[in-house]
Amino acid sequence: MSIFPKLSFKNQAFKLRESAILDAATAVLSNKGYDLMTMDDVAGAVGISKPSLYKHFKSKEELVGEALIRLLDGALDYVAGLDAALGPVEKLAALLEWALRVRLEGGLPFLPSTSPHVRDMLMRNLKYMMKVLKLNRQLEALVKQGQEQGLLNRDLPTDVILFSYYARTCDPAVEYLQNFSKMAPDDIVRHMLKVSFEGFR
Amino acid sequence: MSIFPKLSFKNQAFKLRESAILDAATAVLSNKGYDLMTMDDVAGAVGISKPSLYKHFKSKEELVGEALIRLLDGALDYVAGLDAALGPVEKLAALLEWALRVRLEGGLPFLPSTSPHVRDMLMRNLKYMMKVLKLNRQLEALVKQGQEQGLLNRDLPTDVILFSYYARTCDPAVEYLQNFSKMAPDDIVRHMLKVSFEGFR
DNA sequence: GTCTATAAGGAGATAGAC
DNA sequence: GTCTATCTCCTTATAGAC
């Protein structure tokens, strides 16, 4: 494909290794969270040494940032691939379902912004913020369309719906249901969607 | 009041200091979260030295546990003081409002169980768990009553409503609205209640 | 009980050999 | 590029003087 096959090959191997590192980081992150994740954990999970890890990512912050950027890319791709015939609310529901399934399969919560530390770190990450803002623009448009069509509550400010929507993607109720109620993933997803859109009533 | 006034006096002073420490710990916790909170932070905020702090609380875990127990006591007191004439859903709404206001005033999120580390620590804390379970029993009863009276969705498992209710008390949307939308606390509380009970539609 | 000083250990990051 | 070994800093927790 490339005019520089050798370079491309090396590059490809490099990308593969990088991907393996991001997989490991994602797994450790979802188990232990940012503060408890150590670079030794990640290196151990990949099967390389810590200095090798630092050849790929120059800091813990950068590594985590890249893992989250990959997650955001997945969300952006998913939204881009949605059937254009779907209505705004159907699209929002589909993406929320996608995000919940990613989490239930051991992935990361969408916006791990609960910790001020992590939140600040991410807000300093320009590449991450660019993608967050891109996704945010799309979702905000969907919410506004939904409100205009009367499918989403018009009495609520758009921000309230939008931020609550983000919050649902990382709702801790998912983990409670998984751990304490031993509910099947499909049921969890179904109920969480219902609660999000219809509320407790 | 006591038959041992001197002892009571010393005890009282001790309790006062302890209360000041818990206030400081609460403030630091809500700003930086558990992992980033250091015992130096707390000691500095109170204006005492670290060893003095350790005379009152033998570890960071115990200190944080006591701060959260105090918060739970506040919730239990609040529930106990609710007008008995209120219906189950009105009681649930009132407590959620109370919890949101505590947070908006710089208090702690209700169940800071987002971090696996913190969650495990708390589950090892018997005193804390006793109170959590007590509160949980009361709230579960309220949810069930609400469902029986048709005021809460009967199609949803009780656990789904209950865990989602807990999740709303620490919903990150509150902080987003506070920081990014510059919304007034009263409006935030009103909208969050609406979203919780009525959903996005 | 309060402080100064310090132990003990963890974790991010790197030096330098291969 | 990869590893072993190490540096450095930070944080929990305590020893010991007053």
mmCIF file of all heavy atoms in Angstrom, chain B residues 158-186:
data_model
loop_
_atom_site.group_PDB
_atom_site.id
_atom_site.type_symbol
_atom_site.label_atom_id
_atom_site.label_comp_id
_atom_site.label_asym_id
_atom_site.label_seq_id
_atom_site.Cartn_x
_atom_site.Cartn_y
_atom_site.Cartn_z
ATOM 1 N N THR B 158 -36.857 -3.548 41.398
ATOM 2 C CA THR B 158 -36.615 -2.604 42.495
ATOM 3 C C THR B 158 -35.149 -2.191 42.567
ATOM 4 O O THR B 158 -34.832 -1.017 42.762
ATOM 5 C CB THR B 158 -37.044 -3.229 43.835
ATOM 6 O OG1 THR B 158 -38.423 -3.611 43.738
ATOM 7 C CG2 THR B 158 -36.879 -2.234 44.967
ATOM 8 N N ASP B 159 -34.264 -3.162 42.367
ATOM 9 C CA ASP B 159 -32.826 -2.864 42.423
ATOM 10 C C ASP B 159 -32.412 -1.800 41.416
ATOM 11 O O ASP B 159 -31.544 -0.969 41.706
ATOM 12 C CB ASP B 159 -32.015 -4.142 42.134
ATOM 13 C CG ASP B 159 -31.898 -5.017 43.365
ATOM 14 O OD1 ASP B 159 -32.379 -4.581 44.433
ATOM 15 O OD2 ASP B 159 -31.336 -6.115 43.258
ATOM 16 N N VAL B 160 -33.004 -1.865 40.253
ATOM 17 C CA VAL B 160 -32.618 -0.904 39.215
ATOM 18 C C VAL B 160 -32.949 0.514 39.666
ATOM 19 O O VAL B 160 -32.139 1.432 39.545
ATOM 20 C CB VAL B 160 -33.321 -1.225 37.879
ATOM 21 C CG1 VAL B 160 -33.103 -0.099 36.873
ATOM 22 C CG2 VAL B 160 -32.808 -2.549 37.315
ATOM 23 N N ILE B 161 -34.142 0.674 40.212
ATOM 24 C CA ILE B 161 -34.524 2.003 40.696
ATOM 25 C C ILE B 161 -33.650 2.417 41.876
ATOM 26 O O ILE B 161 -33.144 3.534 41.936
ATOM 27 C CB ILE B 161 -36.011 2.020 41.101
ATOM 28 C CG1 ILE B 161 -36.883 1.755 39.873
ATOM 29 C CG2 ILE B 161 -36.383 3.359 41.736
ATOM 30 C CD1 ILE B 161 -38.375 1.755 40.161
ATOM 31 N N LEU B 162 -33.451 1.495 42.795
ATOM 32 C CA LEU B 162 -32.694 1.810 44.009
ATOM 33 C C LEU B 162 -31.254 2.188 43.690
ATOM 34 O O LEU B 162 -30.752 3.228 44.148
ATOM 35 C CB LEU B 162 -32.747 0.605 44.955
ATOM 36 C CG LEU B 162 -32.191 0.801 46.352
ATOM 37 C CD1 LEU B 162 -32.894 1.945 47.065
ATOM 38 C CD2 LEU B 162 -32.327 -0.494 47.156
ATOM 39 N N PHE B 163 -30.583 1.389 42.893
ATOM 40 C CA PHE B 163 -29.188 1.678 42.562
ATOM 41 C C PHE B 163 -29.080 2.943 41.712
ATOM 42 O O PHE B 163 -28.140 3.729 41.862
ATOM 43 C CB PHE B 163 -28.551 0.492 41.829
ATOM 44 C CG PHE B 163 -28.386 -0.725 42.693
ATOM 45 C CD1 PHE B 163 -28.383 -2.005 42.144
ATOM 46 C CD2 PHE B 163 -28.219 -0.609 44.064
ATOM 47 C CE1 PHE B 163 -28.220 -3.136 42.944
ATOM 48 C CE2 PHE B 163 -28.060 -1.728 44.876
ATOM 49 C CZ PHE B 163 -28.060 -2.996 44.303
ATOM 50 N N SER B 164 -30.043 3.136 40.828
ATOM 51 C CA SER B 164 -30.024 4.363 40.027
ATOM 52 C C SER B 164 -30.244 5.581 40.921
ATOM 53 O O SER B 164 -29.670 6.650 40.698
ATOM 54 C CB SER B 164 -31.102 4.312 38.940
ATOM 55 O OG SER B 164 -30.779 3.328 37.983
ATOM 56 N N TYR B 165 -31.072 5.387 41.925
ATOM 57 C CA TYR B 165 -31.296 6.477 42.894
ATOM 58 C C TYR B 165 -29.979 6.848 43.584
ATOM 59 O O TYR B 165 -29.624 8.026 43.668
ATOM 60 C CB TYR B 165 -32.336 6.021 43.914
ATOM 61 C CG TYR B 165 -32.654 7.044 44.980
ATOM 62 C CD1 TYR B 165 -33.596 8.039 44.760
ATOM 63 C CD2 TYR B 165 -32.014 7.014 46.214
ATOM 64 C CE1 TYR B 165 -33.898 8.980 45.732
ATOM 65 C CE2 TYR B 165 -32.297 7.943 47.199
ATOM 66 C CZ TYR B 165 -33.239 8.920 46.950
ATOM 67 O OH TYR B 165 -33.522 9.843 47.920
ATOM 68 N N TYR B 166 -29.256 5.848 44.060
ATOM 69 C CA TYR B 166 -27.951 6.116 44.663
ATOM 70 C C TYR B 166 -27.054 6.856 43.676
ATOM 71 O O TYR B 166 -26.360 7.810 44.031
ATOM 72 C CB TYR B 166 -27.273 4.817 45.082
ATOM 73 C CG TYR B 166 -27.922 4.121 46.240
ATOM 74 C CD1 TYR B 166 -28.028 2.733 46.270
ATOM 75 C CD2 TYR B 166 -28.432 4.831 47.308
ATOM 76 C CE1 TYR B 166 -28.624 2.083 47.336
ATOM 77 C CE2 TYR B 166 -29.032 4.198 48.373
ATOM 78 C CZ TYR B 166 -29.125 2.815 48.387
ATOM 79 O OH TYR B 166 -29.711 2.175 49.432
ATOM 80 N N ALA B 167 -27.071 6.381 42.444
ATOM 81 C CA ALA B 167 -26.197 6.977 41.435
ATOM 82 C C ALA B 167 -26.526 8.459 41.237
ATOM 83 O O ALA B 167 -25.631 9.278 41.015
ATOM 84 C CB ALA B 167 -26.318 6.222 40.108
ATOM 85 N N ARG B 168 -27.803 8.805 41.341
ATOM 86 C CA ARG B 168 -28.166 10.207 41.142
ATOM 87 C C ARG B 168 -27.616 11.100 42.246
ATOM 88 O O ARG B 168 -27.368 12.285 42.026
ATOM 89 C CB ARG B 168 -29.688 10.355 41.071
ATOM 90 C CG ARG B 168 -30.350 9.696 39.897
ATOM 91 C CD ARG B 168 -29.787 10.075 38.564
ATOM 92 N NE ARG B 168 -30.337 9.203 37.538
ATOM 93 C CZ ARG B 168 -29.796 8.051 37.176
ATOM 94 N NH1 ARG B 168 -28.645 7.652 37.699
ATOM 95 N NH2 ARG B 168 -30.372 7.287 36.279
ATOM 96 N N THR B 169 -27.442 10.549 43.432
ATOM 97 C CA THR B 169 -26.914 11.370 44.525
ATOM 98 C C THR B 169 -25.469 11.780 44.262
ATOM 99 O O THR B 169 -24.995 12.763 44.824
ATOM 100 C CB THR B 169 -26.977 10.633 45.877
ATOM 101 O OG1 THR B 169 -26.108 9.500 45.851
ATOM 102 C CG2 THR B 169 -28.388 10.183 46.185
ATOM 103 N N CYS B 170 -24.758 11.000 43.431
ATOM 104 C CA CYS B 170 -23.370 11.386 43.122
ATOM 105 C C CYS B 170 -23.203 11.609 41.632
ATOM 106 O O CYS B 170 -22.120 11.424 41.084
ATOM 107 C CB CYS B 170 -22.378 10.364 43.663
ATOM 108 S SG CYS B 170 -22.664 8.676 43.169
ATOM 109 N N ASP B 171 -24.263 12.041 40.971
ATOM 110 C CA ASP B 171 -24.246 12.228 39.519
ATOM 111 C C ASP B 171 -23.261 13.329 39.126
ATOM 112 O O ASP B 171 -23.356 14.454 39.602
ATOM 113 C CB ASP B 171 -25.662 12.619 39.066
ATOM 114 C CG ASP B 171 -25.834 12.443 37.582
ATOM 115 O OD1 ASP B 171 -24.924 12.862 36.838
ATOM 116 O OD2 ASP B 171 -26.863 11.889 37.174
ATOM 117 N N PRO B 172 -22.288 13.007 38.275
ATOM 118 C CA PRO B 172 -21.315 14.027 37.870
ATOM 119 C C PRO B 172 -21.936 15.166 37.068
ATOM 120 O O PRO B 172 -21.310 16.220 36.928
ATOM 121 C CB PRO B 172 -20.297 13.252 37.019
ATOM 122 C CG PRO B 172 -20.973 11.989 36.627
ATOM 123 C CD PRO B 172 -21.985 11.688 37.693
ATOM 124 N N ALA B 173 -23.155 14.958 36.567
ATOM 125 C CA ALA B 173 -23.809 16.050 35.835
ATOM 126 C C ALA B 173 -23.930 17.296 36.720
ATOM 127 O O ALA B 173 -23.901 18.423 36.218
ATOM 128 C CB ALA B 173 -25.184 15.601 35.341
ATOM 129 N N VAL B 174 -24.055 17.085 38.022
ATOM 130 C CA VAL B 174 -24.133 18.221 38.946
ATOM 131 C C VAL B 174 -22.902 19.117 38.812
ATOM 132 O O VAL B 174 -23.018 20.342 38.696
ATOM 133 C CB VAL B 174 -24.268 17.720 40.403
ATOM 134 C CG1 VAL B 174 -24.095 18.869 41.371
ATOM 135 C CG2 VAL B 174 -25.606 17.035 40.595
ATOM 136 N N GLU B 175 -21.737 18.497 38.812
ATOM 137 C CA GLU B 175 -20.523 19.299 38.700
ATOM 138 C C GLU B 175 -20.380 19.953 37.332
ATOM 139 O O GLU B 175 -19.909 21.083 37.219
ATOM 140 C CB GLU B 175 -19.288 18.443 38.992
ATOM 141 C CG GLU B 175 -19.023 18.291 40.461
ATOM 142 C CD GLU B 175 -18.731 16.848 40.823
ATOM 143 O OE1 GLU B 175 -18.057 16.173 40.033
ATOM 144 O OE2 GLU B 175 -19.185 16.396 41.897
ATOM 145 N N TYR B 176 -20.781 19.241 36.294
ATOM 146 C CA TYR B 176 -20.730 19.838 34.957
ATOM 147 C C TYR B 176 -21.601 21.097 34.917
ATOM 148 O O TYR B 176 -21.180 22.136 34.426
ATOM 149 C CB TYR B 176 -21.241 18.849 33.898
ATOM 150 C CG TYR B 176 -20.398 17.617 33.719
ATOM 151 C CD1 TYR B 176 -20.972 16.423 33.285
ATOM 152 C CD2 TYR B 176 -19.029 17.629 33.940
ATOM 153 C CE1 TYR B 176 -20.216 15.281 33.098
ATOM 154 C CE2 TYR B 176 -18.262 16.492 33.757
ATOM 155 C CZ TYR B 176 -18.863 15.318 33.328
ATOM 156 O OH TYR B 176 -18.123 14.198 33.147
ATOM 157 N N LEU B 177 -22.820 20.965 35.434
ATOM 158 C CA LEU B 177 -23.732 22.108 35.385
ATOM 159 C C LEU B 177 -23.190 23.264 36.216
ATOM 160 O O LEU B 177 -23.302 24.431 35.843
ATOM 161 C CB LEU B 177 -25.115 21.690 35.879
ATOM 162 C CG LEU B 177 -25.875 20.749 34.941
ATOM 163 C CD1 LEU B 177 -27.153 20.236 35.585
ATOM 164 C CD2 LEU B 177 -26.199 21.454 33.628
ATOM 165 N N GLN B 178 -22.591 22.911 37.349
ATOM 166 C CA GLN B 178 -22.033 23.937 38.222
ATOM 167 C C GLN B 178 -20.846 24.652 37.564
ATOM 168 O O GLN B 178 -20.761 25.872 37.579
ATOM 169 C CB GLN B 178 -21.582 23.272 39.527
ATOM 170 C CG GLN B 178 -21.343 24.210 40.677
ATOM 171 C CD GLN B 178 -21.088 23.446 41.979
ATOM 172 O OE1 GLN B 178 -20.716 22.271 41.961
ATOM 173 N NE2 GLN B 178 -21.285 24.094 43.099
ATOM 174 N N ASN B 179 -19.962 23.857 36.959
ATOM 175 C CA ASN B 179 -18.726 24.424 36.416
ATOM 176 C C ASN B 179 -18.876 25.004 35.017
ATOM 177 O O ASN B 179 -18.286 26.037 34.710
ATOM 178 C CB ASN B 179 -17.637 23.341 36.392
ATOM 179 C CG ASN B 179 -17.231 22.911 37.786
ATOM 180 O OD1 ASN B 179 -17.298 23.691 38.727
ATOM 181 N ND2 ASN B 179 -16.823 21.669 37.932
ATOM 182 N N PHE B 180 -19.632 24.334 34.165
ATOM 183 C CA PHE B 180 -19.663 24.744 32.766
ATOM 184 C C PHE B 180 -20.886 25.592 32.420
ATOM 185 O O PHE B 180 -20.809 26.472 31.583
ATOM 186 C CB PHE B 180 -19.597 23.522 31.850
ATOM 187 C CG PHE B 180 -18.348 22.712 32.048
ATOM 188 C CD1 PHE B 180 -18.413 21.336 32.238
ATOM 189 C CD2 PHE B 180 -17.102 23.333 32.049
ATOM 190 C CE1 PHE B 180 -17.253 20.596 32.431
ATOM 191 C CE2 PHE B 180 -15.944 22.595 32.245
ATOM 192 C CZ PHE B 180 -16.020 21.226 32.434
ATOM 193 N N SER B 181 -22.011 25.292 33.060
ATOM 194 C CA SER B 181 -23.213 26.054 32.726
ATOM 195 C C SER B 181 -23.469 27.194 33.702
ATOM 196 O O SER B 181 -24.378 27.997 33.487
ATOM 197 C CB SER B 181 -24.442 25.130 32.696
ATOM 198 O OG SER B 181 -24.297 24.179 31.684
ATOM 199 N N LYS B 182 -22.662 27.239 34.771
ATOM 200 C CA LYS B 182 -22.808 28.303 35.768
ATOM 201 C C LYS B 182 -24.256 28.445 36.238
ATOM 202 O O LYS B 182 -24.765 29.559 36.391
ATOM 203 C CB LYS B 182 -22.322 29.648 35.195
ATOM 204 C CG LYS B 182 -20.957 29.571 34.523
ATOM 205 C CD LYS B 182 -19.844 29.392 35.515
ATOM 206 C CE LYS B 182 -18.478 29.355 34.822
ATOM 207 N NZ LYS B 182 -17.435 28.811 35.696
ATOM 208 N N MET B 183 -24.887 27.314 36.399
ATOM 209 C CA MET B 183 -26.296 27.330 36.803
ATOM 210 C C MET B 183 -26.385 27.507 38.319
ATOM 211 O O MET B 183 -25.504 27.059 39.058
ATOM 212 C CB MET B 183 -26.918 25.997 36.373
ATOM 213 C CG MET B 183 -28.417 26.021 36.196
ATOM 214 S SD MET B 183 -28.999 24.424 35.568
ATOM 215 C CE MET B 183 -28.689 24.619 33.814
ATOM 216 N N ALA B 184 -27.433 28.167 38.772
ATOM 217 C CA ALA B 184 -27.612 28.378 40.211
ATOM 218 C C ALA B 184 -27.957 27.052 40.890
ATOM 219 O O ALA B 184 -28.653 26.213 40.305
ATOM 220 C CB ALA B 184 -28.724 29.385 40.454
ATOM 221 N N PRO B 185 -27.470 26.870 42.125
ATOM 222 C CA PRO B 185 -27.714 25.609 42.849
ATOM 223 C C PRO B 185 -29.183 25.192 42.839
ATOM 224 O O PRO B 185 -29.480 24.020 42.609
ATOM 225 C CB PRO B 185 -27.216 25.932 44.257
ATOM 226 C CG PRO B 185 -26.142 26.945 44.051
ATOM 227 C CD PRO B 185 -26.581 27.771 42.879
ATOM 228 N N ASP B 186 -30.083 26.157 43.104
ATOM 229 C CA ASP B 186 -31.504 25.798 43.148
ATOM 230 C C ASP B 186 -31.990 25.228 41.820
ATOM 231 O O ASP B 186 -32.763 24.267 41.785
ATOM 232 C CB ASP B 186 -32.349 27.028 43.516
ATOM 233 C CG ASP B 186 -32.294 27.325 45.004
ATOM 234 O OD1 ASP B 186 -31.842 26.433 45.756
ATOM 235 O OD2 ASP B 186 -32.680 28.428 45.412
#
